[in-house]
């Protein structure tokens, strides 16, 4: 039961429901690093309840979300 619960949390739908999103480039490839993007690129965004498209305006490779401790 514990293993099933842990695996359920890794389900992509569960991850999206926790507030994460999936970003894909114009070719449909997952974007995992800012270096994969350029200003003006169009990306698709996937959320728990749907999707959207966006155009990259500027990049900030030094911006990082602080980690909780």
């Amino acid at each position: 039961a514990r293993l099933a619960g842990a695996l359920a949390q890794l389900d992509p739908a569960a991850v999206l429901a926790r507030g994460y999103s999936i970003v894909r480039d114009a070719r449909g490839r997952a974007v995992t690093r800012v270096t994969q993007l350029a200003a003006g690129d169009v990306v698709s965004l996937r959320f728990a309840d749907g999707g959207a498209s966006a155009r990259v305006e500027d990049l900030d490779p030094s911006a990082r979300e602080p980690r909780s401790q």
Side-chain angles (χ1 to χ4, degrees), residues 8-29:
Q9 289 299 309
L10 297 176
D11 175 6
V15 174
L16 293 173
R18 289 196 306 269
Y20 289 90
S21 62
I22 299 171
V23 179
R24 295 192 180 276
D25 66 14
R27 293 185 174 176
R29 297 176 298 198

Side-chain angles (χ1 to χ4, degrees), residues 20-44:
Y20 289 90
S21 62
I22 299 171
V23 179
R24 295 192 180 276
D25 66 14
R27 293 185 174 176
R29 297 176 298 198
V31 176
T32 58
R33 301 192 177 280
V34 70
T35 57
Q36 293 174 260
L37 297 172
D41 285 354
V42 174
V43 295
S44 63

